[in-house]
Amino acid sequence: SQTIHQWPATLVQPVGSPLSLECTVEGTSNPNLYWYRQAAGRGLQLLFYSVGIGQISSEVPQNLSASRPQDRQFILSSKKLLLSDSGFYLCAWSRTRGRVGAFFGQGTRLTVV
Amino acid sequence: DQQVKQNSPSLSVQEGRISILNCDYTNSMFDYFLWYKKYPAEGPTFLISISSIKDKNEDGRFTVFLNKSAKHLSLHIVPSQPGDSAVYFCAASAGGGADGLTFGKGTHLIIQP
């Protein structure tokens, strides 16, 4: 069976510090990978998606970047965090064929202080 | 421009009664719709889906109805149970593209004893 791991679960970082959130998927190969952010009153906003190693598509301009160094690893980064980067970040994966449905990790609550 | 709309931020229902969560969409290219359930500080979990070739899909206590002409779908939960208290997200995809799902802002369902 497929599982998705996302860490850390919570993170408190000062403004201007770097960020690295990691996500790995097990039990499947060549998944589509996604980073979403849930902000209060705004639902789930797609930030990045990737259809393969080194292939990143950005949905919204922002202070964040994503990388996919391995097939089942997806990393969300920032060089300098802003207060507005606070939120609940979710990693997800989906199959590349058939109906598209996303399977989510447990999420990371990021608080920038 | 919000393509998937959940106009009720919250809904309160008595235990044992029917819960009806509504979702409207504007993109006529959407052909697959999903409902996710989310508890606080956890990632969303898939609940039920429906293809645009159907108008109803049932799974236990959960039924999703799709009205394509009205661009409207609804999730019915009957009977409602305390464990159903959560935020419910409606999501849609167009043609199974890799750019993931478009989510509504969510409806917080509260089941009262």
Side-chain angles (χ1 to χ4, degrees):
Chain A
S1 64
Q2 300 87 4
T3 57
I4 179 168
H5 304 280
Q6 184 183 341
W7 66 93
T10 59
L11 190 59
V12 179
Q13 291 283 97
V15 169
S17 65
L19 172 74
S20 180
L21 302 181
E22 190 163 342
C23 172
T24 59
V25 180
E26 295 177 358
T28 187
S29 59
N30 195 31
N32 291 336
L33 296 173
Y34 307 88
W35 279 109
Y36 287 88
R37 176 169 57 198
Q38 181 188 12
R42 297 192 63 184
L44 295 171
Q45 182 186 34
L46 179 64
L47 303 176
F48 301 96
Y49 69 93
S50 170
V51 299
I53 296 174
Q55 301 178 61
I56 308 295
S57 297
S58 174
E59 288 293 295
V60 293
Q62 56 210 310
N63 185 44
L64 302 168
S65 62
S67 62
R68 184 171 178 174
Q70 300 180 37
D71 179 46
R72 289 170 289 177
Q73 184 184 28
F74 206 23
I75 298 171
L76 183 68
S77 305
S78 173
K79 293 182 178 178
K80 289 185 178 181
L81 283 168
L82 306 172
L83 287 174
S84 58
D85 292 325
S86 293
F88 191 59
Y89 290 85
L90 290 154
C91 180
W93 75 273
S94 72
R95 294 180 180 87
T96 55
R97 296 189 176 191
R99 282 301 183 182
V100 176
F103 302 92
F104 288 85
Q106 288 295 301
T108 297
R109 169 67 63 191
L110 171 66
T111 304
V112 182
V113 296
Chain B
D1 176 33
Q2 200 177 357
Q3 298 186 62
V4 178
K5 300 178 184 178
Q6 293 177 256
N7 292 319
S8 298
S10 66
L11 175 67
S12 185
V13 175
Q14 198 168 11
E15 182 179 357
R17 301 282 185 127
I18 183 171
S19 296
I20 300 176
L21 298 108
N22 293 303
C23 178
D24 297 291
Y25 62 96
T26 59
N27 188 344
S28 57
M29 299 300 292
F30 286 145
D31 62 353
Y32 190 58
F33 304 89
L34 308 91
W35 284 94
Y36 284 83
K37 177 181 179 179
K38 185 183 180 301
Y39 292 118
E42 293 184 9
T45 55
F46 170 75
L47 202 56
I48 193 168
S49 64
I50 188 167
S51 165
S52 61
I53 62 174
K54 295 185 176 181
D55 54 19
K56 177 183 175 182
N57 188 26
E58 190 173 354
D59 183 3
R61 296 186 298 114
F62 303 93
T63 304
V64 56
F65 295 92
L66 175 62
N67 183 333
K68 289 187 291 294
S69 60
K71 292 191 175 68
H72 177 84
L73 63 155
S74 60
L75 174 68
H76 293 210
I77 307 172
V78 56
S80 300
Q81 299 175 355
D84 296 330
S85 294
V87 176
Y88 289 79
F89 288 99
C90 172
S93 78
D99 57 345
L101 302 168
T102 301
F103 284 86
K105 291 186 178 181
T107 296
H108 185 194
L109 176 64
I110 302 163
I111 304 301
Q112 295 181 333

